[in-house]
Amino acid sequence: MSPMLRVCAAMLAKDLRRELRSKEIFISGFLLSVILLCVIFFSVTASDLSFKKIGAGAIWICILFTGTVGMNRIHQSEMINGCYRGLILAPVEGGWLYLAKVAANVLLLGFAATLLLPLTAVAFHIPVFSNLPWLLASIYLGISAFAAIGTLVVVITANTRMKDVLFPMIQLPLVVPVLMGGVNSTAMALKGEPPGDWIQFLAALNVVFLSLGFLLYEFLLEE
Amino acid sequence: MKRQSYFDTVLLVLTFVVMTAAIIWALHIAPTANVEEGDNQRIFYFHLGSILPGWLAFFYVLYASIRYLKCRDLLWDRRGRAAGEAALAFSSIVLITGPIWGKAAWGVFWAWDARLTSALLQWMIVLGYVMLRRYMDDEGVRARVSSVLGIIGASMIPFVYMANRWFETQHPQPVIAGGEDSGIKDINMNIALLLAMASFSLLTFLFMRIGRSLLSAEARIKDIEARTHILEEEL
């Protein structure tokens, strides 16, 4: 294994081990999703919409808010006890650290989303198993693009006075294209159709923003 | 310095002349598009005229951000900030004039049409860029971090437009109007539109220059203040 990949793997293992021990992001994020599903249920019942039609939207609203809360939390844990200085001193280029961070975010968020799927299927009567490969592809590609942008923005807003408010305010407009791609491709997968164009759109977002993040993360790590 | 202020004066006069011509053409010479809309349609010259400068200014933010990260000269950071604020001003004009025209043409202030949604998202991204800078105290960190956000924000704009176009074709909405670019036939209307675009672009350029020199002056004053403080302490 090359030194770059070794540091990358160590970073990823560190983030996952931390989460396995504390489980705080998973528990708070997953509970938030369940509460959001209830809120969506009440709003939909009041507005007389059919459950099936809002399945994709419900999944993505949960991913969006859980992801926003989770990524902020992961970064905050990096700021205490001088951990951030350790990150800066890591003997590789910032881009590799960025990839490790994105991978950790994707795995944590992806795990929460995978647990969320059966729950949404039960609550909103949507056929998740009819077109599972496309459904998973839509969700994971979307989560990956979401994490690629969020991982950068969370570091960008970390130095500000109002970071807790500023992070969602800057991140949410930036991830709207990801949300549109994700919702449309998930909706098509749930209908049993292959979501061709939207999957390509999500893949393009991934390529562009992972590359940008790889190049730009270095600048964010300076002190 | 002298050459710079001479250029600014020429730019100011040119903007004034072109803007006056644009107002005369748009409000007086150009005919109204159709009877139903009447004179309400004339706001459209200024609406469409501010879209282009909004884009240009934000793509200038992208350029200035890349230049800053490459050479770490705070001048490029100031240029980026001035351009970001100009982009926010013109995106806001688009969002204010659009609904006024929309109410007259479509009967509603806001419709979730692809172009409207894209403009709103672009405005939010620019607002995020401008807001981020207000909440950071350290000048060096602010310049570095907001340059990164400038690059990400500007790279997202093409995706915003692409996603919204596709979204519309995937979900056809009830046709509210024929769309704004159904083709302008009259030569005077074309001239009015071009003049409006040119005048707003010149105005953006002027705003960016004024903004940059204001920020440079502010930095100089801070520098002098810091030096005076040191001198006072020594005395």
Side-chain angles (χ1 to χ4, degrees), chain B residues 17-168:
Chain B
V17 170
V18 179
M19 181 81 64
T20 314
I23 291 172
I24 292 170
W25 235 281
L27 299 185
H28 188 66
I29 299 176
T32 49
N34 50 44
V35 186
E36 302 95 64
E37 281 180 46
D39 283 336
N40 289 317
Q41 174 262 334
R42 293 181 195 276
I43 199 171
F44 205 69
Y45 297 114
F46 302 101
H47 174 69
L48 208 62
S50 0
I51 292 176
L52 181 72
W55 276 347
L56 288 180
F58 204 51
F59 283 108
Y60 188 77
V61 171
L62 172 72
Y63 175 68
S65 302
I66 296 172
R67 285 297 296 266
Y68 174 76
L69 288 180
K70 264 193 103 171
C71 64
R72 300 296 172 109
D73 184 352
L74 279 173
L75 182 69
W76 283 105
D77 173 59
R78 285 176 208 132
R79 283 182 173 152
R81 178 173 168 192
E85 282 171 5
L88 182 66
F90 285 97
S91 305
S92 308
I93 292 177
V94 173
L95 280 186
I96 293 166
T97 52
I100 297 174
W101 179 77
K103 181 70 180 164
W106 301 337
V108 284
F109 280 113
W110 189 266
W112 286 99
D113 170 80
R115 269 162 282 221
L116 274 73
T117 323
S118 313
L120 179 67
L121 282 173
Q122 186 191 337
W123 181 78
M124 288 200 278
I125 292 173
V126 179
L127 181 73
Y129 174 79
V130 174
M131 267 182 69
L132 179 82
R133 312 188 63 115
R134 297 263 157 117
Y135 289 101
M136 279 186 171
D137 300 322
D138 189 306
E139 201 178 18
V141 177
R142 182 173 58 206
R144 179 164 51 80
V145 165
S146 53
S147 295
V148 175
L149 184 65
I151 295 174
I152 304 170
S155 320
M156 191 48 98
I157 303 262
F159 285 100
V160 167
Y161 279 83
M162 217 152 66
N164 277 298
R165 287 285 151 93
W166 282 355
F167 194 60
E168 199 183 40

Side-chain angles (χ1 to χ4, degrees), chain A residues 57-74:
Chain A
I59 294 172
W60 275 95
I61 288 176
C62 292
I63 292 176
L64 211 66
F65 285 98
T66 314
T68 306
V69 173
M71 276 192 275
N72 208 359
R73 189 76 206 99
I74 290 185

Side-chain angles (χ1 to χ4, degrees), chain A residues 72-118:
Chain A
N72 208 359
R73 189 76 206 99
I74 290 185
H75 192 73
Q76 272 172 11
S77 69
E78 206 72 78
M79 300 302 270
I80 48 174
N81 295 333
C83 298
Y84 197 66
R85 181 156 292 169
L87 253 177
I88 297 172
L89 291 175
V92 281
E93 274 177 46
W96 295 98
L97 300 179
Y98 167 75
L99 290 185
K101 281 266 164 216
V102 172
N105 284 331
V106 170
L107 284 176
L108 292 176
L109 202 52
F111 184 60
T114 316
L115 284 185
L116 196 71
L117 269 184

